[in-house]
PDB file of all heavy atoms in Angstrom:
ATOM      1  N   TYR A  16     -22.820 -90.108 -14.846  1.00 88.00           N
ATOM      2  CA  TYR A  16     -23.205 -91.446 -14.534  1.00 88.00           C
ATOM      3  C   TYR A  16     -23.192 -92.303 -15.784  1.00 88.00           C
ATOM      4  O   TYR A  16     -22.629 -93.448 -15.794  1.00 88.00           O
ATOM      5  CB  TYR A  16     -24.573 -91.480 -13.868  1.00 88.00           C
ATOM      6  CG  TYR A  16     -25.047 -92.826 -13.468  1.00 88.00           C
ATOM      7  CD1 TYR A  16     -24.724 -93.369 -12.266  1.00 88.00           C
ATOM      8  CD2 TYR A  16     -25.901 -93.582 -14.286  1.00 88.00           C
ATOM      9  CE1 TYR A  16     -25.144 -94.626 -11.875  1.00 88.00           C
ATOM     10  CE2 TYR A  16     -26.363 -94.816 -13.938  1.00 88.00           C
ATOM     11  CZ  TYR A  16     -25.993 -95.378 -12.705  1.00 88.00           C
ATOM     12  OH  TYR A  16     -26.403 -96.600 -12.364  1.00 88.00           O
ATOM     13  N   LYS A  17     -23.684 -91.771 -16.859  1.00 87.00           N
ATOM     14  CA  LYS A  17     -23.720 -92.482 -18.150  1.00 87.00           C
ATOM     15  C   LYS A  17     -22.302 -92.776 -18.633  1.00 87.00           C
ATOM     16  O   LYS A  17     -22.031 -93.851 -19.061  1.00 87.00           O
ATOM     17  CB  LYS A  17     -24.515 -91.649 -19.191  1.00 87.00           C
ATOM     18  CG  LYS A  17     -24.589 -92.300 -20.575  1.00 87.00           C
ATOM     19  CD  LYS A  17     -25.416 -91.444 -21.504  1.00 87.00           C
ATOM     20  CE  LYS A  17     -25.424 -91.927 -22.915  1.00 87.00           C
ATOM     21  NZ  LYS A  17     -25.914 -93.242 -23.129  1.00 87.00           N
ATOM     22  N   TYR A  18     -21.419 -91.761 -18.535  1.00 82.00           N
ATOM     23  CA  TYR A  18     -20.056 -91.940 -18.897  1.00 82.00           C
ATOM     24  C   TYR A  18     -19.384 -93.102 -18.145  1.00 82.00           C
ATOM     25  O   TYR A  18     -18.741 -93.997 -18.690  1.00 82.00           O
ATOM     26  CB  TYR A  18     -19.219 -90.677 -18.738  1.00 82.00           C
ATOM     27  CG  TYR A  18     -17.765 -90.867 -18.519  1.00 82.00           C
ATOM     28  CD1 TYR A  18     -16.989 -91.344 -19.590  1.00 82.00           C
ATOM     29  CD2 TYR A  18     -17.157 -90.686 -17.321  1.00 82.00           C
ATOM     30  CE1 TYR A  18     -15.608 -91.603 -19.396  1.00 82.00           C
ATOM     31  CE2 TYR A  18     -15.804 -90.931 -17.131  1.00 82.00           C
ATOM     32  CZ  TYR A  18     -15.075 -91.355 -18.152  1.00 82.00           C
ATOM     33  OH  TYR A  18     -13.719 -91.627 -18.001  1.00 82.00           O
ATOM     34  N   ILE A  19     -19.536 -93.064 -16.826  1.00 81.00           N
ATOM     35  CA  ILE A  19     -18.896 -94.021 -15.960  1.00 81.00           C
ATOM     36  C   ILE A  19     -19.414 -95.460 -16.306  1.00 81.00           C
ATOM     37  O   ILE A  19     -18.619 -96.435 -16.313  1.00 81.00           O
ATOM     38  CB  ILE A  19     -19.136 -93.708 -14.471  1.00 81.00           C
ATOM     39  CG1 ILE A  19     -18.336 -92.462 -14.127  1.00 81.00           C
ATOM     40  CG2 ILE A  19     -18.707 -94.879 -13.588  1.00 81.00           C
ATOM     41  CD1 ILE A  19     -18.683 -91.884 -12.767  1.00 81.00           C
ATOM     42  N   ASN A  20     -20.668 -95.614 -16.567  1.00 85.00           N
ATOM     43  CA  ASN A  20     -21.252 -96.912 -16.804  1.00 85.00           C
ATOM     44  C   ASN A  20     -21.041 -97.397 -18.253  1.00 85.00           C
ATOM     45  O   ASN A  20     -21.076 -98.573 -18.523  1.00 85.00           O
ATOM     46  CB  ASN A  20     -22.745 -96.902 -16.510  1.00 85.00           C
ATOM     47  CG  ASN A  20     -22.988 -97.029 -15.048  1.00 85.00           C
ATOM     48  OD1 ASN A  20     -22.466 -97.950 -14.401  1.00 85.00           O
ATOM     49  ND2 ASN A  20     -23.760 -96.121 -14.550  1.00 85.00           N
ATOM     50  N   GLU A  21     -20.834 -96.468 -19.183  1.00 84.00           N
ATOM     51  CA  GLU A  21     -20.810 -96.883 -20.595  1.00 84.00           C
ATOM     52  C   GLU A  21     -19.462 -96.659 -21.300  1.00 84.00           C
ATOM     53  O   GLU A  21     -19.289 -97.082 -22.478  1.00 84.00           O
ATOM     54  CB  GLU A  21     -21.899 -96.163 -21.366  1.00 84.00           C
ATOM     55  CG  GLU A  21     -23.265 -96.542 -20.894  1.00 84.00           C
ATOM     56  CD  GLU A  21     -24.386 -95.814 -21.606  1.00 84.00           C
ATOM     57  OE1 GLU A  21     -24.097 -95.208 -22.670  1.00 84.00           O
ATOM     58  OE2 GLU A  21     -25.552 -95.902 -21.172  1.00 84.00           O
ATOM     59  N   THR A  22     -18.489 -96.050 -20.634  1.00 78.00           N
ATOM     60  CA  THR A  22     -17.208 -95.791 -21.324  1.00 78.00           C
ATOM     61  C   THR A  22     -16.553 -97.072 -21.722  1.00 78.00           C
ATOM     62  O   THR A  22     -16.661 -98.110 -21.004  1.00 78.00           O
ATOM     63  CB  THR A  22     -16.264 -94.954 -20.423  1.00 78.00           C
ATOM     64  OG1 THR A  22     -15.127 -94.667 -21.227  1.00 78.00           O
ATOM     65  CG2 THR A  22     -15.839 -95.696 -19.204  1.00 78.00           C
ATOM     66  N   THR A  23     -15.893 -97.087 -22.859  1.00 80.00           N
ATOM     67  CA  THR A  23     -15.121 -98.262 -23.310  1.00 80.00           C
ATOM     68  C   THR A  23     -13.667 -98.166 -22.840  1.00 80.00           C
ATOM     69  O   THR A  23     -12.929 -99.124 -23.046  1.00 80.00           O
ATOM     70  CB  THR A  23     -15.241 -98.424 -24.830  1.00 80.00           C
ATOM     71  OG1 THR A  23     -14.698 -97.227 -25.433  1.00 80.00           O
ATOM     72  CG2 THR A  23     -16.662 -98.635 -25.305  1.00 80.00           C
ATOM     73  N   SER A  24     -13.295 -97.036 -22.295  1.00 76.00           N
ATOM     74  CA  SER A  24     -11.945 -96.879 -21.793  1.00 76.00           C
ATOM     75  C   SER A  24     -11.710 -97.861 -20.645  1.00 76.00           C
ATOM     76  O   SER A  24     -12.503 -97.979 -19.782  1.00 76.00           O
ATOM     77  CB  SER A  24     -11.680 -95.451 -21.285  1.00 76.00           C
ATOM     78  OG  SER A  24     -11.763 -94.545 -22.402  1.00 76.00           O
ATOM     79  N   ARG A  25     -10.559 -98.534 -20.641  1.00 74.00           N
ATOM     80  CA  ARG A  25     -10.250 -99.525 -19.675  1.00 74.00           C
ATOM     81  C   ARG A  25      -9.273 -98.993 -18.618  1.00 74.00           C
ATOM     82  O   ARG A  25      -8.320 -99.694 -18.258  1.00 74.00           O
ATOM     83  CB  ARG A  25      -9.732-100.766 -20.340  1.00 74.00           C
ATOM     84  CG  ARG A  25     -10.700-101.432 -21.293  1.00 74.00           C
ATOM     85  CD  ARG A  25     -11.929-101.927 -20.631  1.00 74.00           C
ATOM     86  NE  ARG A  25     -11.621-102.932 -19.683  1.00 74.00           N
ATOM     87  CZ  ARG A  25     -12.372-103.220 -18.633  1.00 74.00           C
ATOM     88  NH1 ARG A  25     -13.523-102.668 -18.475  1.00 74.00           N
ATOM     89  NH2 ARG A  25     -12.028-104.142 -17.738  1.00 74.00           N
ATOM     90  N   VAL A  26      -9.448 -97.716 -18.193  1.00 74.00           N
ATOM     91  CA  VAL A  26      -8.626 -97.159 -17.123  1.00 74.00           C
ATOM     92  C   VAL A  26      -9.535 -96.802 -16.007  1.00 74.00           C
ATOM     93  O   VAL A  26     -10.808 -96.651 -16.179  1.00 74.00           O
ATOM     94  CB  VAL A  26      -7.880 -95.864 -17.637  1.00 74.00           C
ATOM     95  CG1 VAL A  26      -6.961 -96.208 -18.760  1.00 74.00           C
ATOM     96  CG2 VAL A  26      -8.867 -94.780 -18.068  1.00 74.00           C
ATOM     97  N   PRO A  27      -8.999 -96.693 -14.759  1.00 71.00           N
ATOM     98  CA  PRO A  27      -9.865 -96.247 -13.688  1.00 71.00           C
ATOM     99  C   PRO A  27     -10.518 -94.914 -14.040  1.00 71.00           C
ATOM    100  O   PRO A  27      -9.996 -94.175 -14.855  1.00 71.00           O
ATOM    101  CB  PRO A  27      -8.890 -96.121 -12.546  1.00 71.00           C
ATOM    102  CG  PRO A  27      -7.764 -97.075 -12.842  1.00 71.00           C
ATOM    103  CD  PRO A  27      -7.665 -97.035 -14.332  1.00 71.00           C
ATOM    104  N   ILE A  28     -11.605 -94.597 -13.386  1.00 75.00           N
ATOM    105  CA  ILE A  28     -12.403 -93.436 -13.738  1.00 75.00           C
ATOM    106  C   ILE A  28     -11.486 -92.210 -13.951  1.00 75.00           C
ATOM    107  O   ILE A  28     -10.705 -91.844 -13.099  1.00 75.00           O
ATOM    108  CB  ILE A  28     -13.439 -93.098 -12.607  1.00 75.00           C
ATOM    109  CG1 ILE A  28     -14.404 -94.201 -12.474  1.00 75.00           C
ATOM    110  CG2 ILE A  28     -14.156 -91.808 -12.947  1.00 75.00           C
ATOM    111  CD1 ILE A  28     -15.335 -94.083 -11.308  1.00 75.00           C
ATOM    112  N   SER A  29     -11.635 -91.597 -15.100  1.00 72.00           N
ATOM    113  CA  SER A  29     -10.883 -90.433 -15.476  1.00 72.00           C
ATOM    114  C   SER A  29     -11.693 -89.159 -15.229  1.00 72.00           C
ATOM    115  O   SER A  29     -12.878 -89.136 -15.463  1.00 72.00           O
ATOM    116  CB  SER A  29     -10.499 -90.501 -16.943  1.00 72.00           C
ATOM    117  OG  SER A  29      -9.842 -89.279 -17.335  1.00 72.00           O
ATOM    118  N   ASP A  30     -11.012 -88.126 -14.711  1.00 71.00           N
ATOM    119  CA  ASP A  30     -11.716 -86.852 -14.528  1.00 71.00           C
ATOM    120  C   ASP A  30     -11.578 -85.974 -15.772  1.00 71.00           C
ATOM    121  O   ASP A  30     -12.068 -84.881 -15.811  1.00 71.00           O
ATOM    122  CB  ASP A  30     -11.226 -86.126 -13.302  1.00 71.00           C
ATOM    123  CG  ASP A  30      -9.751 -85.806 -13.347  1.00 71.00           C
ATOM    124  OD1 ASP A  30      -8.992 -86.755 -13.591  1.00 71.00           O
ATOM    125  OD2 ASP A  30      -9.373 -84.663 -13.070  1.00 71.00           O
ATOM    126  N   TRP A  31     -10.940 -86.494 -16.793  1.00 75.00           N
ATOM    127  CA  TRP A  31     -10.753 -85.743 -18.026  1.00 75.00           C
ATOM    128  C   TRP A  31     -11.023 -86.670 -19.197  1.00 75.00           C
ATOM    129  O   TRP A  31     -10.256 -87.591 -19.490  1.00 75.00           O
ATOM    130  CB  TRP A  31      -9.309 -85.250 -18.092  1.00 75.00           C
ATOM    131  CG  TRP A  31      -8.965 -84.369 -19.249  1.00 75.00           C
ATOM    132  CD1 TRP A  31      -9.825 -83.676 -20.065  1.00 75.00           C
ATOM    133  CD2 TRP A  31      -7.673 -84.045 -19.714  1.00 75.00           C
ATOM    134  NE1 TRP A  31      -9.197 -82.938 -21.013  1.00 75.00           N
ATOM    135  CE2 TRP A  31      -7.795 -83.191 -20.827  1.00 75.00           C
ATOM    136  CE3 TRP A  31      -6.397 -84.377 -19.326  1.00 75.00           C
ATOM    137  CZ2 TRP A  31      -6.725 -82.651 -21.531  1.00 75.00           C
ATOM    138  CZ3 TRP A  31      -5.337 -83.865 -20.017  1.00 75.00           C
ATOM    139  CH2 TRP A  31      -5.505 -82.987 -21.096  1.00 75.00           C
ATOM    140  N   HIS A  32     -12.123 -86.419 -19.849  1.00 76.00           N
ATOM    141  CA  HIS A  32     -12.565 -87.278 -20.977  1.00 76.00           C
ATOM    142  C   HIS A  32     -13.357 -86.436 -22.002  1.00 76.00           C
ATOM    143  O   HIS A  32     -13.853 -85.354 -21.648  1.00 76.00           O
ATOM    144  CB  HIS A  32     -13.433 -88.441 -20.490  1.00 76.00           C
ATOM    145  CG  HIS A  32     -14.627 -88.047 -19.770  1.00 76.00           C
ATOM    146  ND1 HIS A  32     -14.633 -87.733 -18.441  1.00 76.00           N
ATOM    147  CD2 HIS A  32     -15.865 -87.840 -20.152  1.00 76.00           C
ATOM    148  CE1 HIS A  32     -15.825 -87.420 -18.044  1.00 76.00           C
ATOM    149  NE2 HIS A  32     -16.627 -87.466 -19.076  1.00 76.00           N
ATOM    150  N   HIS A  33     -13.452 -86.916 -23.186  1.00 76.00           N
ATOM    151  CA  HIS A  33     -14.255 -86.289 -24.239  1.00 76.00           C
ATOM    152  C   HIS A  33     -15.760 -86.477 -23.887  1.00 76.00           C
ATOM    153  O   HIS A  33     -16.190 -87.523 -23.683  1.00 76.00           O
ATOM    154  CB  HIS A  33     -13.931 -86.848 -25.621  1.00 76.00           C
ATOM    155  CG  HIS A  33     -12.565 -86.583 -26.110  1.00 76.00           C
ATOM    156  ND1 HIS A  33     -12.184 -85.341 -26.571  1.00 76.00           N
ATOM    157  CD2 HIS A  33     -11.480 -87.370 -26.120  1.00 76.00           C
ATOM    158  CE1 HIS A  33     -10.923 -85.378 -26.962  1.00 76.00           C
ATOM    159  NE2 HIS A  33     -10.411 -86.603 -26.644  1.00 76.00           N
ATOM    160  N   THR A  34     -16.441 -85.354 -23.857  1.00 74.00           N
ATOM    161  CA  THR A  34     -17.872 -85.415 -23.511  1.00 74.00           C
ATOM    162  C   THR A  34     -18.738 -85.950 -24.634  1.00 74.00           C
ATOM    163  O   THR A  34     -19.817 -86.454 -24.366  1.00 74.00           O
ATOM    164  CB  THR A  34     -18.429 -84.035 -23.052  1.00 74.00           C
ATOM    165  OG1 THR A  34     -18.225 -83.105 -24.131  1.00 74.00           O
ATOM    166  CG2 THR A  34     -17.683 -83.538 -21.778  1.00 74.00           C
ATOM    167  N   ASP A  35     -18.277 -85.899 -25.840  1.00 80.00           N
ATOM    168  CA  ASP A  35     -19.048 -86.388 -26.944  1.00 80.00           C
ATOM    169  C   ASP A  35     -18.857 -87.917 -27.173  1.00 80.00           C
ATOM    170  O   ASP A  35     -19.794 -88.601 -27.660  1.00 80.00           O
ATOM    171  CB  ASP A  35     -18.799 -85.640 -28.253  1.00 80.00           C
ATOM    172  CG  ASP A  35     -17.300 -85.715 -28.680  1.00 80.00           C
ATOM    173  OD1 ASP A  35     -16.459 -86.078 -27.872  1.00 80.00           O
ATOM    174  OD2 ASP A  35     -17.033 -85.289 -29.833  1.00 80.00           O
ATOM    175  N   SER A  36     -17.687 -88.453 -26.796  1.00 77.00           N
ATOM    176  CA  SER A  36     -17.467 -89.864 -27.026  1.00 77.00           C
ATOM    177  C   SER A  36     -17.191 -90.651 -25.754  1.00 77.00           C
ATOM    178  O   SER A  36     -17.277 -91.891 -25.793  1.00 77.00           O
ATOM    179  CB  SER A  36     -16.231 -90.024 -27.922  1.00 77.00           C
ATOM    180  OG  SER A  36     -15.023 -89.579 -27.234  1.00 77.00           O
ATOM    181  N   GLY A  37     -16.889 -90.018 -24.647  1.00 72.00           N
ATOM    182  CA  GLY A  37     -16.535 -90.669 -23.399  1.00 72.00           C
ATOM    183  C   GLY A  37     -15.139 -91.238 -23.405  1.00 72.00           C
ATOM    184  O   GLY A  37     -14.760 -91.941 -22.477  1.00 72.00           O
ATOM    185  N   LYS A  38     -14.336 -90.958 -24.435  1.00 76.00           N
ATOM    186  CA  LYS A  38     -13.019 -91.527 -24.476  1.00 76.00           C
ATOM    187  C   LYS A  38     -12.069 -90.789 -23.537  1.00 76.00           C
ATOM    188  O   LYS A  38     -12.111 -89.565 -23.420  1.00 76.00           O
ATOM    189  CB  LYS A  38     -12.464 -91.489 -25.941  1.00 76.00           C
ATOM    190  CG  LYS A  38     -13.239 -92.369 -26.887  1.00 76.00           C
ATOM    191  CD  LYS A  38     -12.466 -92.617 -28.100  1.00 76.00           C
ATOM    192  CE  LYS A  38     -13.280 -93.430 -29.034  1.00 76.00           C
ATOM    193  NZ  LYS A  38     -13.042 -94.815 -29.008  1.00 76.00           N
ATOM    194  N   TRP A  39     -11.258 -91.564 -22.896  1.00 76.00           N
ATOM    195  CA  TRP A  39     -10.291 -91.074 -21.933  1.00 76.00           C
ATOM    196  C   TRP A  39      -9.271 -90.146 -22.671  1.00 76.00           C
ATOM    197  O   TRP A  39      -8.878 -90.415 -23.770  1.00 76.00           O
ATOM    198  CB  TRP A  39      -9.577 -92.295 -21.365  1.00 76.00           C
ATOM    199  CG  TRP A  39      -8.358 -92.038 -20.568  1.00 76.00           C
ATOM    200  CD1 TRP A  39      -8.283 -91.325 -19.386  1.00 76.00           C
ATOM    201  CD2 TRP A  39      -7.070 -92.542 -20.813  1.00 76.00           C
ATOM    202  NE1 TRP A  39      -7.012 -91.373 -18.929  1.00 76.00           N
ATOM    203  CE2 TRP A  39      -6.210 -92.116 -19.826  1.00 76.00           C
ATOM    204  CE3 TRP A  39      -6.507 -93.292 -21.848  1.00 76.00           C
ATOM    205  CZ2 TRP A  39      -4.872 -92.379 -19.719  1.00 76.00           C
ATOM    206  CZ3 TRP A  39      -5.181 -93.594 -21.760  1.00 76.00           C
ATOM    207  CH2 TRP A  39      -4.353 -93.146 -20.775  1.00 76.00           C
ATOM    208  N   VAL A  40      -8.869 -89.087 -22.014  1.00 78.00           N
ATOM    209  CA  VAL A  40      -7.951 -88.129 -22.570  1.00 78.00           C
ATOM    210  C   VAL A  40      -6.523 -88.359 -21.993  1.00 78.00           C
ATOM    211  O   VAL A  40      -5.556 -88.477 -22.721  1.00 78.00           O
ATOM    212  CB  VAL A  40      -8.411 -86.662 -22.395  1.00 78.00           C
ATOM    213  CG1 VAL A  40      -7.319 -85.660 -22.880  1.00 78.00           C
ATOM    214  CG2 VAL A  40      -9.648 -86.395 -23.116  1.00 78.00           C
ATOM    215  N   GLY A  41      -6.409 -88.280 -20.675  1.00 73.00           N
ATOM    216  CA  GLY A  41      -5.044 -88.386 -20.130  1.00 73.00           C
ATOM    217  C   GLY A  41      -4.944 -88.682 -18.658  1.00 73.00           C
ATOM    218  O   GLY A  41      -4.005 -89.297 -18.234  1.00 73.00           O
ATOM    219  N   PHE A  42      -5.872 -88.186 -17.875  1.00 72.00           N
ATOM    220  CA  PHE A  42      -5.788 -88.457 -16.431  1.00 72.00           C
ATOM    221  C   PHE A  42      -6.482 -89.733 -16.107  1.00 72.00           C
ATOM    222  O   PHE A  42      -7.412 -90.168 -16.781  1.00 72.00           O
ATOM    223  CB  PHE A  42      -6.430 -87.319 -15.641  1.00 72.00           C
ATOM    224  CG  PHE A  42      -5.842 -85.967 -15.835  1.00 72.00           C
ATOM    225  CD1 PHE A  42      -6.626 -84.835 -15.685  1.00 72.00           C
ATOM    226  CD2 PHE A  42      -4.516 -85.813 -16.127  1.00 72.00           C
ATOM    227  CE1 PHE A  42      -6.055 -83.534 -15.827  1.00 72.00           C
ATOM    228  CE2 PHE A  42      -3.951 -84.532 -16.268  1.00 72.00           C
ATOM    229  CZ  PHE A  42      -4.737 -83.420 -16.118  1.00 72.00           C
ATOM    230  N   ARG A  43      -6.033 -90.381 -15.034  1.00 68.00           N
ATOM    231  CA  ARG A  43      -6.670 -91.591 -14.517  1.00 68.00           C
ATOM    232  C   ARG A  43      -6.416 -91.773 -13.069  1.00 68.00           C
ATOM    233  O   ARG A  43      -5.338 -91.533 -12.552  1.00 68.00           O
ATOM    234  CB  ARG A  43      -6.254 -92.795 -15.315  1.00 68.00           C
ATOM    235  CG  ARG A  43      -4.807 -93.109 -15.160  1.00 68.00           C
ATOM    236  CD  ARG A  43      -4.474 -94.388 -15.899  1.00 68.00           C
ATOM    237  NE  ARG A  43      -3.029 -94.497 -15.938  1.00 68.00           N
ATOM    238  CZ  ARG A  43      -2.331 -95.020 -16.876  1.00 68.00           C
ATOM    239  NH1 ARG A  43      -2.926 -95.500 -17.951  1.00 68.00           N
ATOM    240  NH2 ARG A  43      -1.029 -95.099 -16.810  1.00 68.00           N
ATOM    241  N   ALA A  44      -7.441 -92.258 -12.351  1.00 68.00           N
ATOM    242  CA  ALA A  44      -7.353 -92.614 -10.926  1.00 68.00           C
ATOM    243  C   ALA A  44      -6.674 -91.537 -10.118  1.00 68.00           C
ATOM    244  O   ALA A  44      -5.858 -91.831  -9.211  1.00 68.00           O
ATOM    245  CB  ALA A  44      -6.653 -93.974 -10.787  1.00 68.00           C
ATOM    246  N   ARG A  45      -6.986 -90.249 -10.364  1.00 74.00           N
ATOM    247  CA  ARG A  45      -6.399 -89.171  -9.594  1.00 74.00           C
ATOM    248  C   ARG A  45      -7.193 -88.911  -8.323  1.00 74.00           C
ATOM    249  O   ARG A  45      -8.374 -89.202  -8.277  1.00 74.00           O
ATOM    250  CB  ARG A  45      -6.358 -87.909 -10.398  1.00 74.00           C
ATOM    251  CG  ARG A  45      -5.418 -88.062 -11.611  1.00 74.00           C
ATOM    252  CD  ARG A  45      -5.243 -86.880 -12.495  1.00 74.00           C
ATOM    253  NE  ARG A  45      -6.238 -85.842 -12.395  1.00 74.00           N
ATOM    254  CZ  ARG A  45      -5.929 -84.508 -12.240  1.00 74.00           C
ATOM    255  NH1 ARG A  45      -4.687 -84.144 -12.117  1.00 74.00           N
ATOM    256  NH2 ARG A  45      -6.873 -83.618 -12.240  1.00 74.00           N
ATOM    257  N   SER A  46      -6.602 -88.292  -7.347  1.00 74.00           N
ATOM    258  CA  SER A  46      -7.273 -88.046  -6.075  1.00 74.00           C
ATOM    259  C   SER A  46      -8.380 -87.048  -6.213  1.00 74.00           C
ATOM    260  O   SER A  46      -9.313 -87.037  -5.343  1.00 74.00           O
ATOM    261  CB  SER A  46      -6.264 -87.517  -5.006  1.00 74.00           C
ATOM    262  OG  SER A  46      -5.652 -86.340  -5.481  1.00 74.00           O
ATOM    263  N   VAL A  47      -8.437 -86.269  -7.260  1.00 75.00           N
ATOM    264  CA  VAL A  47      -9.527 -85.291  -7.447  1.00 75.00           C
ATOM    265  C   VAL A  47     -10.863 -85.991  -7.620  1.00 75.00           C
ATOM    266  O   VAL A  47     -11.912 -85.366  -7.431  1.00 75.00           O
ATOM    267  CB  VAL A  47      -9.289 -84.365  -8.633  1.00 75.00           C
ATOM    268  CG1 VAL A  47      -8.081 -83.488  -8.395  1.00 75.00           C
ATOM    269  CG2 VAL A  47      -9.232 -85.100  -9.980  1.00 75.00           C
ATOM    270  N   ILE A  48     -10.865 -87.293  -7.945  1.00 75.00           N
ATOM    271  CA  ILE A  48     -12.138 -88.040  -8.011  1.00 75.00           C
ATOM    272  C   ILE A  48     -12.841 -88.026  -6.686  1.00 75.00           C
ATOM    273  O   ILE A  48     -14.033 -88.248  -6.601  1.00 75.00           O
ATOM    274  CB  ILE A  48     -11.854 -89.475  -8.521  1.00 75.00           C
ATOM    275  CG1 ILE A  48     -11.280 -89.420  -9.941  1.00 75.00           C
ATOM    276  CG2 ILE A  48     -13.083 -90.313  -8.494  1.00 75.00           C
ATOM    277  CD1 ILE A  48     -12.182 -88.724 -10.955  1.00 75.00           C
ATOM    278  N   GLY A  49     -12.166 -87.671  -5.627  1.00 80.00           N
ATOM    279  CA  GLY A  49     -12.831 -87.528  -4.313  1.00 80.00           C
ATOM    280  C   GLY A  49     -13.911 -86.485  -4.391  1.00 80.00           C
ATOM    281  O   GLY A  49     -14.882 -86.509  -3.651  1.00 80.00           O
ATOM    282  N   GLY A  50     -13.818 -85.553  -5.381  1.00 80.00           N
ATOM    283  CA  GLY A  50     -14.894 -84.586  -5.609  1.00 80.00           C
ATOM    284  C   GLY A  50     -16.205 -85.225  -5.963  1.00 80.00           C
ATOM    285  O   GLY A  50     -17.273 -84.611  -5.800  1.00 80.00           O
ATOM    286  N   TYR A  51     -16.159 -86.463  -6.409  1.00 79.00           N
ATOM    287  CA  TYR A  51     -17.409 -87.175  -6.681  1.00 79.00           C
ATOM    288  C   TYR A  51     -18.264 -87.317  -5.407  1.00 79.00           C
ATOM    289  O   TYR A  51     -19.484 -87.571  -5.494  1.00 79.00           O
ATOM    290  CB  TYR A  51     -17.089 -88.554  -7.252  1.00 79.00           C
ATOM    291  CG  TYR A  51     -16.697 -88.621  -8.706  1.00 79.00           C
ATOM    292  CD1 TYR A  51     -16.148 -87.522  -9.337  1.00 79.00           C
ATOM    293  CD2 TYR A  51     -16.924 -89.744  -9.453  1.00 79.00           C
ATOM    294  CE1 TYR A  51     -15.777 -87.562 -10.665  1.00 79.00           C
ATOM    295  CE2 TYR A  51     -16.566 -89.832 -10.763  1.00 79.00           C
ATOM    296  CZ  TYR A  51     -15.970 -88.744 -11.389  1.00 79.00           C
ATOM    297  OH  TYR A  51     -15.609 -88.805 -12.705  1.00 79.00           O
ATOM    298  N   TRP A  52     -17.621 -87.260  -4.293  1.00 83.00           N
ATOM    299  CA  TRP A  52     -18.314 -87.407  -3.013  1.00 83.00           C
ATOM    300  C   TRP A  52     -18.725 -86.104  -2.360  1.00 83.00           C
ATOM    301  O   TRP A  52     -19.154 -86.080  -1.208  1.00 83.00           O
ATOM    302  CB  TRP A  52     -17.397 -88.225  -2.067  1.00 83.00           C
ATOM    303  CG  TRP A  52     -17.181 -89.595  -2.557  1.00 83.00           C
ATOM    304  CD1 TRP A  52     -16.152 -90.053  -3.310  1.00 83.00           C
ATOM    305  CD2 TRP A  52     -18.056 -90.700  -2.421  1.00 83.00           C
ATOM    306  NE1 TRP A  52     -16.311 -91.353  -3.641  1.00 83.00           N
ATOM    307  CE2 TRP A  52     -17.482 -91.787  -3.078  1.00 83.00           C
ATOM    308  CE3 TRP A  52     -19.327 -90.897  -1.731  1.00 83.00           C
ATOM    309  CZ2 TRP A  52     -18.088 -93.052  -3.125  1.00 83.00           C
ATOM    310  CZ3 TRP A  52     -19.877 -92.134  -1.826  1.00 83.00           C
ATOM    311  CH2 TRP A  52     -19.287 -93.197  -2.537  1.00 83.00           C
ATOM    312  N   MET A  53     -18.678 -85.036  -3.084  1.00 85.00           N
ATOM    313  CA  MET A  53     -19.003 -83.710  -2.533  1.00 85.00           C
ATOM    314  C   MET A  53     -20.400 -83.653  -2.015  1.00 85.00           C
ATOM    315  O   MET A  53     -20.664 -83.021  -0.984  1.00 85.00           O
ATOM    316  CB  MET A  53     -18.753 -82.579  -3.604  1.00 85.00           C
ATOM    317  CG  MET A  53     -18.996 -81.225  -3.039  1.00 85.00           C
ATOM    318  SD  MET A  53     -18.192 -80.812  -1.479  1.00 85.00           S
ATOM    319  CE  MET A  53     -16.507 -81.045  -1.864  1.00 85.00           C
TER     320      MET A  53
END
């Protein structure tokens, strides 16, 4: 939740990001984000 609200990356929610900085690594707006609704 903190990552989603505070990331400075300007891409749709990424499921792959650095946990220490919140910076986006490579994926964006993938269908796996449906897992957020598990």
Side-chain angles (χ1 to χ4, degrees):
Y16 181 85
K17 180 177 174 59
Y18 155 70
I19 291 169
N20 282 307
E21 297 180 10
T22 185
T23 58
S24 296
R25 299 297 299 157
V26 297
I28 298 171
S29 173
D30 60 309
W31 185 17
H32 59 275
H33 293 284
T34 57
D35 59 347
S36 68
K38 294 198 184 264
W39 167 64
V40 174
F42 297 152
R43 63 177 170 213
R45 295 182 341 130
S46 60
V47 297
I48 296 301
Y51 282 25
W52 295 95
M53 184 50 60

